[in-house]
């Protein structure tokens, strides 16, 4: 249970809808409803009666509400007390985020940070993890989120969560059972992150597995974005891969089937910074918010 989940629940009850709650929290509507859904999953109880124009609390929701309000009030009071000792009145936060940041609710990161620290300038860079790691190592940005494995010379790495990667196909037959690396290498493949190719961490894991099995992965089509790969897969052009966060998103195309790899494959999301170089106060706070968001998503994907 997190404060963000409780806040989404309290605001939805106060305002009568997830849309209004999202506006009050300055997040996407889908994010507000997803936060409440995860809270309901953790509590194993529905908190709202859905289906009408206005959300109505269930018995469980009425029971939780005063405790949620009390918890938020205490947290807000604590935050105000700490901020009264001094606040970020300037500076620049530089941070790298994942190419697929939206699937991990990171699109709201800047809004959250700016709402708390309006005087701080933000430089948020979204790129492939290989490039993010290099940018941090060379001091172009202070810290960032990456998918492992990366070249980690000079970097301090803090793993945050694992997101399983699945084989994706329009063919129910090819996803009937877990997929071996040999079967994957022999399939018609549409792979994304074409610019970085086999330097991309997920594709790097696949290439290493294929090499150990004496196989070679030779994609039929390579392009940049996972959304484009999924569209081609849905059209039956070829098969691709996607993480659980992508598959669980509302934008995942209908008609696609998924299967795990016979040896499970994971995207491990980690926070990286230069070893021996302390972060500026602004970037340290932005990194903390990013870390909290990723850990919360990780808990949601496990439920």
């Amino acid at each position: 249970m997190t404060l963000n989940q409780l806040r989404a629940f309290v605001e939805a009850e106060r305002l009568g809808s997830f849309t209004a709650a999202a506006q009050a929290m300055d997040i996407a509507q889908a994010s507000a409803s997803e936060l409440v859904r995860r809270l309901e999953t953790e509590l194993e109880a529905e908190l709202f009666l859905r289906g009408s124009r206005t959300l109505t609390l269930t018995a469980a929701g009425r029971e939780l509400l005063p405790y949620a309000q009390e918890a938020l009030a205490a947290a807000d009071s604590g935050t105000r007390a700490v901020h009264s000792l001094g606040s970020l009145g300037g500076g620049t936060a530089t941070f790298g985020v994942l190419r697929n940041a939206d699937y991990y609710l990171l699109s709201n990161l800047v809004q959250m940070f700016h709402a708390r620290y309006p005087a701080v300038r933000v430089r948020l860079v979204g790129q492939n993890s290989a490039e993010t790691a290099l940018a941090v190592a060379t001091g172009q940005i202070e810290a960032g989120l990456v998918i492992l494995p990366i070249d980690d010379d000079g970097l301090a790495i803090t793993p945050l969560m694992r997101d399983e990667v699945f084989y994706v196909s329009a063919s129910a037959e090819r996803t009937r059972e877990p997929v071996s690396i040999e079967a994957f290498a022999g399939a018609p493949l549409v792979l994304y992150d074409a610019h970085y190719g086999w330097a991309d961490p997920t594709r790097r894991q696949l290439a290493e597995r294929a090499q150990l099995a004496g196989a070679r992965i030779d994609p039929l089509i390579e392009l940049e974005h996972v959304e484009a790969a999924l569209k081609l897969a849905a059209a039956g052009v070829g098969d691709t891969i996607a993480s659980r966060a992508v598959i669980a998103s509302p934008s995942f195309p209908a008609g696609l089937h998924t299967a795990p790899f016979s040896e499970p494959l994971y995207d491990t999301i980690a926070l990286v910074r230069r070893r021996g170089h302390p972060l500026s106060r602004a970037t340290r706070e932005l990194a903390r918010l990013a870390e909290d968001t990723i850990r919360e998503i990780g808990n949601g994907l496990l439920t």
Side-chain angles (χ1 to χ4, degrees):
M1 186 182 300
T2 68
L3 287 175
N4 276 343
Q5 291 170 345
L6 291 176
R7 196 175 300 280
F9 164 65
V10 168
E11 289 297 318
E13 187 281 330
R14 182 175 71 87
L15 299 171
S17 73
F18 292 127
T19 300
Q23 291 174 345
M25 295 176 66
D26 198 21
I27 62 175
Q29 187 273 336
S31 299
S33 59
E34 178 67 8
L35 287 169
V36 173
R37 184 194 68 78
R38 289 180 187 149
L39 181 59
E40 290 176 323
T41 299
E42 182 172 344
L43 294 174
E44 298 182 347
E46 290 189 355
L47 300 175
F48 291 107
L49 295 174
R50 295 166 171 83
S52 60
R53 286 190 173 184
T54 302
L55 292 172
T56 303
L57 287 176
T58 62
R62 290 193 297 273
E63 188 71 15
L64 176 64
L65 183 61
Y67 296 99
Q69 291 171 329
E70 183 177 351
L72 290 174
D76 290 342
S77 296
T79 299
R80 287 192 296 271
V82 172
H83 285 176
S84 68
L85 297 177
S87 61
L88 287 172
T92 300
T94 60
F95 198 75
V97 294
L98 306 171
R99 282 277 296 276
N100 296 333
D102 285 352
Y103 295 106
Y104 298 97
L105 303 183
L106 292 173
S107 57
N108 299 312
L109 186 61
V110 172
Q111 294 96 314
M112 291 169 57
F113 184 83
H114 181 68
R116 297 185 186 188
Y117 311 109
V120 178
R121 295 183 297 276
V122 178
R123 181 169 175 256
L124 205 64
V125 181
Q127 52 197 2
N128 185 275
S129 294
E131 189 171 7
T132 297
L134 179 61
V136 173
T138 57
Q140 298 176 53
I141 56 179
E142 287 191 75
L145 294 173
V146 299
I147 302 291
L148 301 180
I150 56 170
D151 296 330
D152 60 358
D153 287 347
L155 296 176
I157 298 175
T158 305
L160 302 177
M161 67 163 281
R162 292 200 310 172
D163 190 4
E164 188 169 2
V165 177
F166 292 81
Y167 182 80
V168 179
S169 176
S171 167
E173 180 63 31
R174 290 203 288 270
T175 56
R176 199 173 301 280
E177 57 186 27
V179 178
S180 68
I181 191 63
E182 293 87 353
F184 180 79
L189 296 174
V190 178
L191 297 183
Y192 48 93
D193 273 316
H195 179 73
Y196 292 93
W198 300 108
D200 170 73
T202 308
R203 292 178 61 173
R204 181 171 166 179
Q205 291 185 74
L206 290 166
E208 289 173 355
R209 291 186 181 189
Q211 186 179 61
L212 289 172
R216 179 181 175 84
I217 301 172
D218 190 14
L220 178 67
I221 297 173
E222 294 183 81
L223 32 72
E224 283 304 319
H225 301 293
V226 62
E227 294 84 2
L230 291 172
K231 287 180 181 178
L232 289 179
V237 174
D239 300 342
T240 190
I241 56 174
S243 68
R244 188 185 297 275
V246 173
I247 293 168
S249 73
S251 61
F252 188 72
L256 286 175
H257 306 274
T258 65
F261 284 87
S262 52
E263 179 188 349
L265 179 69
Y266 293 94
D267 277 345
T268 299
I269 300 177
L271 177 70
V272 297
R273 59 181 179 81
R274 292 176 74 192
R275 190 181 299 120
H277 291 259
L279 300 177
S280 68
R281 188 178 173 194
T283 299
R284 185 169 67 247
E285 178 62 13
L286 184 57
R288 186 190 66 78
L289 289 176
E291 182 174 342
D292 288 349
T293 300
I294 288 295
R295 290 193 187 279
E296 185 172 292
I297 292 297
N299 291 335
L301 290 175
L302 292 175
T303 59

